[in-house]
Amino acid sequence: MSSTWRATGKPLTPWKRKIAEELGNYCAMLLANLRLREMLSEQAIRDPLTGLFNRRYMDESLRRELAVRTHRPIGIIMIDIDHFKKFNTKFKHDGGDALLRSFGALLQKQIRPGDVACRFGGEEFILILPGASLEVTEHRAEKLRKEVKHLKVIFQNRPLGRITLSLGVAVSSEDSRVDNILQGAIHALRQAKEAGRDRVVVAPGCQPASSSRFEA
């Protein structure tokens, strides 16, 4: 039945038909605006290159997790792609971008529901693991260190070559704040790079899962 007819079968007057059309157009505009708002909101918290969450969302997530935790630890893994400048120099920025996208996809496959994977900046990434003990966080970091060696990135029909990671691990304590838990992970990452890269280092003050660190 035509939308210009009532249920009784009588046609709508021109004035009522105009009101119905304007109402329909208004509802369509509202729906389009809602969709646009959702899209813009998603873009505001996502890194456009990798599709991972951005640093702003990471800060908010970590603050939220620290605020609502109930004696649960929060594991942090700080990640750096080793010798990333070498890939950028050899394959130009587009090749480096291809590597970042592929690594972002690998991170997405490695996380559990509730984990937060973010691009921290440049070639640095961070994983937030709510409820993960130091042992679990260290194990997850070591698993990722091994998995990335199987990552094959092809750019312009050329393989980028072997990829390795340096990783710093930190776990929250009862009085942890965002700044100090992040600084712990950043410090551990720096130690991993200074010790030769391709390894996992636990932040000072955290009790390691074993007496040795994970290395190549």
Side-chain angles (χ1 to χ4, degrees):
M1 182 181 292
S2 171
S3 61
T4 61
W5 288 71
R6 291 186 182 181
T8 58
K10 295 181 180 180
L12 293 174
T13 65
W15 180 79
K16 289 183 178 179
R17 184 162 57 246
K18 181 180 179 182
I19 293 297
E21 290 173 352
E22 289 181 351
L23 183 59
N25 291 334
Y26 178 72
C27 290
M29 182 185 68
L30 281 180
L31 184 58
N33 284 340
L34 284 173
R35 288 172 177 166
L36 177 61
R37 186 174 299 177
E38 288 177 0
M39 182 184 71
L40 292 175
S41 176
E42 183 72 5
Q43 289 176 348
I45 62 173
R46 292 280 182 182
D47 170 55
L49 180 62
T50 63
L52 301 175
F53 290 113
N54 58 24
R55 186 167 179 171
R56 171 187 172 187
Y57 185 82
M58 180 275 296
D59 283 330
E60 293 173 355
S61 295
L62 193 50
R63 291 182 193 282
R64 182 175 63 249
E65 290 296 336
L66 288 171
V68 303
R69 67 181 178 209
T70 53
H71 304 292
R72 296 191 315 160
I74 301 169
I76 299 290
I77 304 175
M78 193 80 182
I79 307 158
D80 183 87
I81 299 176
D82 292 333
H83 304 294
F84 182 75
K85 287 189 174 77
K86 175 188 71 175
F87 295 105
N88 260 351
T89 300
K90 185 175 180 180
F91 297 94
K92 309 303 181 186
H93 288 291
D94 288 343
D97 286 350
L99 172 54
L100 293 173
R101 280 193 295 268
S102 296
F103 182 66
L106 175 65
L107 277 186
Q108 291 281 27
K109 294 178 182 178
Q110 294 292 319
I111 60 176
R112 314 163 302 174
D115 292 346
V116 180
C118 308
R119 185 181 178 193
F120 192 73
E123 67 272 24
E124 292 185 336
F125 298 80
I126 190 166
L127 289 180
I128 302 173
L129 312 176
S133 65
L134 176 60
E135 184 177 7
V136 168
T137 305
E138 196 175 3
H139 175 76
R140 293 277 301 279
E142 171 62 7
K143 181 181 177 183
L144 183 58
R145 187 186 72 84
K146 291 179 177 178
E147 286 290 331
V148 79
K149 294 182 180 181
H150 301 292
L151 182 64
K152 293 180 173 58
V153 182
I154 306 298
F155 177 70
Q156 294 181 344
N157 298 319
R158 298 168 62 194
L160 265 62
R162 186 171 182 263
I163 300 159
T164 64
L165 303 175
S166 298
L167 306 100
V169 167
V171 175
S172 67
S173 59
E174 290 188 3
D175 60 348
S176 287
R177 301 187 309 275
V178 171
D179 291 343
N180 57 30
I181 189 173
L182 277 180
Q183 285 304 313
I186 290 170
H187 182 72
L189 173 61
R190 188 180 303 120
Q191 286 188 319
K193 293 168 71 174
E194 291 173 352
R197 296 182 169 84
D198 189 20
R199 66 195 63 221
V200 177
V201 171
V202 174
C206 293
Q207 190 66 34
S210 63
S211 58
S212 61
R213 295 291 188 268
F214 293 116
E215 299 182 1

